[in-house]
Amino acid sequence: MQLIKSDINIDFLGKRNIGYIFSGLLILASIIGLIIHKGPNYGIDFAGGALVQVRFDQDVSIGQLRDSLAVLNLKDLSVQDFGEPETHEFLVRTANVEVQGTGLAPAVSGAIEQGIGLTPEIRRVEMVGPQVGDDLKKQALLAIFYSLLFITIYISGRFELKWVLSGVTAGAMMAAVYFLSVFNVSMPILITGALAVSLGLFWRLRLKYAMGAMIALIHDVFITVGIFSILNMDFSLPIIAALLTIIGYSLNDTIIVFDRIRENVKGETDKTGLPALFNQSINQTLSRTILTSLTTLIVLLALFFLGGEIIHNFAFAMIVGVVIGTYSSIFVATPIVLAASLKRMSA
C-alpha cells in the first residue's frame, strides 16, 4: 500500500529553519510549564502519599469536598475532577496522612458524609511511602537515560561501524554518572550532565548519526513531559512506560530515514549536492513513515476515547509522542546529521 507517489519531491530540508523555530517554541513552552508547576505533576507513584478515588450519585463541587475534608488535617490536600463530569468522580490526594492504612478510606468517607450529607462510593485507594516514591523517580530517570545511551551506541555501530568509539562513549557516560553521583548530585542534574557529556563526545568523535538520533529522542521526551506539565496531568509509572515506548517508536522511524540516507550519500564527496540527497531520502521513506504513524494513531485514539480513565494519560502520552516522534525524524534528526556531514566535509 502506498499513500504517496514514489516520485514526490517535497523540500523538507529547505524548511528546516521553520522546524527549528517550531521545536524551539515547543521546548520553550515546556520549560515555562515545568517552571510554573515546579516540575511535572508527579502522581502517587513518585511523590508518595495517598490517593482516594470517590464517586457520587449527584453533583458535588470541589469546594464542598475540600471544606469537608479539612477536619482531617491532611498534609498538602488536593481535590480534582476525574473522568467525565456526569460520572461525579474525584481524586483526593495528600502528601502524608495522619490516618494510615485501611483507616484512610473510612476517614475520608466519614468526613465527606458529615460535611455535605452524602455518602461517597470509594472506587480506589493507593498509598506509597515517600522513600519508595523517591526511589521510583530515580529508577525511572535512569531507565530513560540508559535507554537513550544504548540506543545511540547501537546507531553509531550500525550506521558508522564505529563500535569501539561507541564503547568509549558508553564508558564515558557511565563514568560521568558515577562521578556525579559521588557528590550526591540530584538525579535530574546528573542525567543532564551525562547527556551533555555524551553529545560533546558524539560531536568530537564525529558520530553524526548517534548525535542526530539522541538530540531527536531528547527532543521528543522533553516535549512530551513538558506538555504533561503544561496541562497539569498526572505523571506516573505508566507515563514512564509510554516515554520508553515513544523512544523506541521514534527511533524506528529515524532509523528508516537514516538507512536510506546512508545508501544515497555513499561515495558522495560534493557537499553542494548533499542537501538534495538527504531530501530525496526523506521523500523516499515518506509513504512508509505516514502509513506507520497513521495506523499507530488509530489504535491510540481508540484507547484514548474508549479505554477508560485509567489508561487515558498513557494513551495521551503515546499520541503526543507518535506525532512529535514522526516530526522529529524529519525536522530534527535529519537536519542535524546533514549539518554534521557538511561540517565534516568543510573541515
Side-chain angles (χ1 to χ4, degrees):
M1 181 177 180
Q2 191 172 35
L3 295 177
I4 299 175
K5 294 180 179 179
S6 58
D7 59 348
I8 191 171
N9 186 26
I10 302 173
D11 187 14
F12 289 106
L13 292 178
K15 300 175 178 63
R16 61 183 180 273
N17 289 333
I18 297 176
Y20 290 151
I21 293 171
F22 181 67
S23 292
L25 290 174
L26 287 178
I27 291 171
L28 180 61
S30 299
I31 292 172
I32 292 173
L34 289 167
I35 291 174
I36 291 175
H37 293 103
K38 299 179 181 179
N41 180 25
Y42 289 116
I44 295 299
D45 295 339
F46 297 131
L51 175 149
V52 180
Q53 180 182 338
V54 296
R55 182 180 181 276
F56 297 90
D57 294 327
Q58 62 188 69
D59 286 335
V60 176
S61 70
I62 290 178
Q64 287 177 304
L65 290 178
R66 189 177 289 111
D67 291 341
S68 63
L69 292 170
V71 297
L72 297 178
N73 295 317
L74 299 176
K75 183 179 178 182
D76 295 333
L77 174 68
S78 69
V79 182
Q80 68 182 83
D81 293 310
F82 184 77
E84 300 299 324
E86 59 270 17
T87 63
H88 313 303
E89 293 189 48
F90 301 87
L91 294 181
V92 178
R93 303 171 184 273
T94 175
N96 194 12
V97 290
E98 298 297 331
V99 184
Q100 296 291 333
T102 56
L104 177 63
V108 168
S109 180
I112 293 174
E113 185 175 2
Q114 183 178 359
I116 61 177
L118 296 174
T119 302
E121 176 188 351
I122 305 297
R123 304 294 300 273
R124 174 169 51 124
V125 179
E126 294 181 7
M127 301 188 71
V128 176
Q131 183 59 48
V132 174
D134 190 53
D135 289 342
L136 286 173
K137 192 186 303 181
K138 291 178 179 178
Q139 294 302 317
L141 284 171
L142 284 174
I144 294 173
F145 167 72
Y146 282 115
S147 66
L148 291 173
L149 168 62
F150 291 113
I151 281 171
T152 50
I153 288 170
Y154 165 75
I155 288 178
S156 296
R158 171 75 171 77
F159 287 97
E160 299 174 290
L161 302 178
K162 296 180 179 179
W163 292 104
V164 175
L165 289 180
S166 299
V168 170
T169 304
M173 290 175 72
M174 291 179 182
V177 170
Y178 175 77
F179 179 77
L180 292 172
S181 64
V182 169
F183 295 94
N184 293 321
V185 177
S186 67
M187 188 59 65
I189 295 176
L190 186 150
I191 298 301
T192 302
L195 290 174
V197 169
S198 67
L199 289 174
L201 284 171
F202 288 147
W203 177 260
R204 183 67 178 172
L205 298 174
R206 297 181 176 180
L207 301 175
K208 55 182 182 293
Y209 287 104
M211 183 172 64
M214 175 167 276
I215 291 176
L217 294 176
I218 293 172
H219 168 278
D220 299 343
V221 170
F222 188 79
I223 289 177
T224 304
V225 173
I227 290 175
F228 261 71
S229 179
I230 291 169
L231 300 177
N232 206 29
M233 298 174 71
D234 277 357
F235 195 84
S236 56
L237 280 176
I239 307 306
I240 296 299
L243 292 177
L244 293 173
T245 307
I246 288 166
I247 288 173
Y249 178 89
S250 179
L251 179 70
N252 176 68
D253 204 24
T254 301
I255 284 178
I256 292 171
V257 179
F258 281 3
D259 199 44
R260 188 56 59 90
I261 289 172
R262 186 183 59 169
E263 291 176 6
N264 289 340
V265 303
K266 189 178 296 182
E268 179 66 31
T269 57
D270 182 10
K271 69 177 185 179
T272 59
L274 212 55
L277 291 174
F278 273 66
N279 211 58
Q280 179 186 354
S281 302
I282 297 173
N283 281 279
Q284 288 173 345
T285 57
L286 189 60
S287 179
R288 179 176 178 178
T289 297
I290 292 178
L291 190 61
T292 303
S293 298
L294 283 178
T295 52
T296 306
L297 282 174
I298 289 171
V299 176
L300 293 175
L301 288 170
L303 281 175
F304 182 78
F305 289 109
L306 305 174
E309 287 298 324
I310 297 299
I311 203 171
H312 184 270
N313 286 5
F314 173 86
F316 179 77
M318 287 296 299
I319 290 170
V320 172
V322 167
V323 173
I324 295 297
T326 302
Y327 158 82
S328 69
S329 297
I330 297 173
F331 288 103
V332 178
T334 304
I336 287 172
V337 175
L338 174 61
S341 299
L342 293 173
K343 180 74 174 178
R344 183 175 182 180
M345 285 184 173
S346 300

